[in-house]
Amino acid sequence: MEVVLAGAGHTHIEIIRQAEKFREMGHRLTIVSPLKHHPYSGMAPGMLGGTYSYDDILLPAYSLAEAGGAAFIQDAVAGINTRTSVIRLVHGGAISYDIASVNIGSDAAEDHVQGDHIFTVKPIERLFEAKTYISNLASSRSPFRVVVAGGGPAGVEVAGNVSHLITSLRNSGMPARGRVSLYASSSSSIGGYRGRAGAYILKTLKQMGVAVHQGERFTLSVHGKSDAADAVLLASGVRPAGVISTLGLPVGKTGSITVNKYLQVTGEQAVFAVGDCAEFSVGKTASLDRVGVYAVRQQQVLLHNLLMKVSGNSDQLIPFRKYGPYLSGLNLGGGIGLLQWKGFLLTGRKAFLIKDFIDRRFIRRYSVSEGLGGQDD
Ligand SMILES: Cc1cc2nc3c(=O)[nH]c(=O)nc-3n(C[C@H](O)[C@H](O)[C@H](O)COP(=O)(O)OP(=O)(O)OC[C@H]3O[C@@H](n4cnc5c(N)ncnc54)[C@H](O)[C@@H]3O)c2cc1C
């Protein structure tokens, strides 16, 4: 059978790691992804702040596919015709499937705003471009201002890490005369937290020199015009990936692809959808938080169900049940973190080290011993 994975996100990366299983059973696994290496968002703020290099945070989708005997097509999915079982690719080609799965993530809410100095936090590659841009500003003697718009988890992580980046560049001898401002429209929460956790985030950001404007919005025109900032990082949330509306699959209340408890697209036996791009069609957990944690929790369910489908055991699919609470964490920059599990809060260096351990272990799980193969064009 032909099994096609659209996107190499947090769920599919595990299927790709297990590609050999499909080959051993006589099936062909093909991955369609615009990038040969998928940047891991959990470590992206740390990459921006200089704790990790860009290579450190890459999940080697192409190399894993190659090692497991799977085919890799560097392209993006434009449409899925479930009647003819054909996937249309952005660059013109098409590919047939017997079983398909979609894991294409979400887009930044403001990705329509344009400007050379404007960077959305998604796709994660943009944060690497932001780091290079801010490092260039730091090499000049002129003062500059970086604005982070959005006071959710990504916004506070980005603000703390940009501030740490500027401080590190200054310590290494660059003029780095930069200031960082964070605009958070909510005045009652920061970084998605209230109470003690929220107070800790505010205190830490202020100590790092970030000017926090709570209850204030930073607005840009669609052309990205603003005299007030030399670099703008837009972190005001994510929305379903724009391409979802053109895929031809059913979408739900949040604009994501609707799936049943087996992760099958509503009304389709042969197409699955997972991660940020999927929402459950029924139940109070219909739309889960758009966090990588859920995409990772779906890995084993998807793997099992794909293997059951290809071996003709459609009656043995297992449901996704891990809706429950998850350990949430922030890297605030400079080796400072925050972890929260239900009511328990851990802050400071220890919290950072635990998050760092979890993130590095995740990356290590997908490392290919002979190194990253294939360059992204
Ligand atoms: C700065 C930041 C930090 C975050 N930190 C955390 C954290 O610490 N913990 C956590 O749980 N969550 C975190 N998140 C949220 C997390 O990034 C998402 O929830 C997670 O990436 C969702 O995983 P996914 O596999 O659904 O999608 P993604 O990880 O976005 O993967 C989707 C993949 O699909 C590819 N793709 C896109 N379009 C197409 C197409 N048309 N065809 C084929 N491929 C396509 C993309 O290139 C990408 O490789 C963070 C988000 C941000 C922005």
Side-chain angles (χ1 to χ4, degrees):
M1 280 205 188
E2 298 284 343
V3 181
V4 179
L5 304 180
H10 287 70
T11 318
H12 280 178
I13 196 75
E14 177 64 14
I15 314 300
I16 302 169
R17 191 176 81 91
Q18 309 254 8
E20 187 98 27
K21 288 202 166 107
F22 292 84
R23 193 174 58 167
E24 281 167 5
M25 290 166 76
H27 307 295
R28 204 155 79 128
L29 188 68
T30 301
I31 296 97
V32 179
S33 169
L35 296 178
K36 287 184 172 173
H37 309 120
H38 171 71
Y40 170 47
S41 55
M43 290 166 88
M47 178 275 300
L48 181 63
T51 307
Y52 314 113
S53 71
Y54 191 54
D55 282 354
D56 287 341
I57 72 164
L58 295 178
L59 294 164
Y62 172 86
S63 303
L64 287 170
E66 201 178 38
F72 191 99
I73 300 176
Q74 191 170 9
D75 205 330
V77 168
I80 302 181
N81 187 330
T82 54
R83 206 172 35 78
T84 55
S85 300
V86 170
I87 292 178
R88 200 163 36 82
L89 305 178
V90 164
H91 291 110
I95 169 170
S96 297
Y97 68 87
D98 296 299
I99 312 286
S101 178
V102 186
N103 181 198
I104 57 173
S106 42
D107 287 345
E110 336 74 340
D111 63 358
H112 55 287
V113 186
Q114 288 169 7
D116 289 346
H117 65 305
I118 297 175
F119 306 88
T120 48
V121 293
K122 278 226 149 181
I124 297 298
E125 307 88 89
R126 290 292 283 151
L127 286 181
F128 181 62
E129 293 166 25
K131 182 180 182 179
T132 309
Y133 191 87
I134 293 166
S135 301
N136 280 338
L137 289 176
S139 65
S140 143
R141 297 210 159 272
S142 313
F144 65 94
R145 183 172 182 239
V146 179
V147 164
V148 180
V156 297
E157 286 194 301
V158 162
N161 277 284
V162 169
S163 184
H164 181 67
L165 171 69
I166 294 171
T167 306
S168 307
L169 293 173
R170 195 178 310 123
N171 291 343
S172 72
M174 280 193 187
R177 298 177 62 199
R179 291 176 296 131
V180 182
S181 303
L182 172 72
Y183 286 80
S185 57
S186 166
S187 47
S188 57
S189 73
I190 185 84
Y193 297 83
R194 293 168 193 269
R196 216 153 53 85
Y200 180 81
I201 294 168
L202 278 178
K203 186 185 81 177
T204 306
L205 290 178
K206 282 177 188 166
Q207 278 170 354
M208 297 179 84
V210 177
V212 181
H213 301 263
Q214 264 198 298
E216 278 183 62
R217 254 175 210 284
F218 183 83
T219 43
L220 283 166
S221 76
V222 281
H223 304 296
K225 293 234 170 67
S226 161
D227 296 334
D230 301 285
V232 181
L233 288 122
L234 298 174
S236 57
V238 290
R239 59 177 175 81
V243 68
I244 288 178
S245 59
T246 63
L247 280 183
L249 298 177
V251 294
K253 285 193 197 114
T254 70
S256 298
I257 303 163
T258 51
V259 295
N260 65 17
K261 61 185 175 183
Y262 304 112
L263 306 175
Q264 285 167 304
V265 173
T266 308
E268 304 295 337
Q269 293 297 310
V271 185
F272 294 78
V274 285
D276 274 11
C277 73
E279 66 176 81
F280 290 90
S281 50
V282 287
K284 60 176 192 277
T285 47
S287 60
L288 299 171
D289 289 350
R290 288 200 168 96
V291 288
V293 172
Y294 286 124
V296 172
R297 286 183 184 180
Q298 290 172 348
Q299 289 178 339
Q300 296 308 322
V301 176
L302 181 68
L303 177 65
H304 174 91
N305 290 351
L306 289 176
L307 291 172
M308 287 303 112
K309 287 296 286 186
V310 292
S311 51
N313 297 312
S314 294
D315 55 336
Q316 288 177 37
L317 303 190
I318 55 171
F320 176 73
R321 291 194 201 283
K322 288 190 175 173
Y323 301 103
Y326 54 89
L327 175 74
S328 66
L330 297 176
N331 171 358
L332 293 168
I336 302 294
L338 178 146
L339 288 177
Q340 194 168 49
W341 168 250
K342 296 182 180 170
F344 180 72
L345 179 69
L346 182 69
T347 55
R349 179 83 183 145
K350 267 194 191 152
F352 167 78
L353 289 174
I354 294 171
K355 177 166 165 49
D356 176 67
F357 174 79
I358 295 169
D359 287 338
R360 284 185 194 268
R361 190 181 55 181
F362 183 75
I363 285 279
R364 254 199 321 274
R365 181 174 168 81
Y366 298 102
S367 71
V368 181
S369 47
E370 56 269 32
L372 296 177
Q375 296 299 304
D376 274 313
D377 310 318

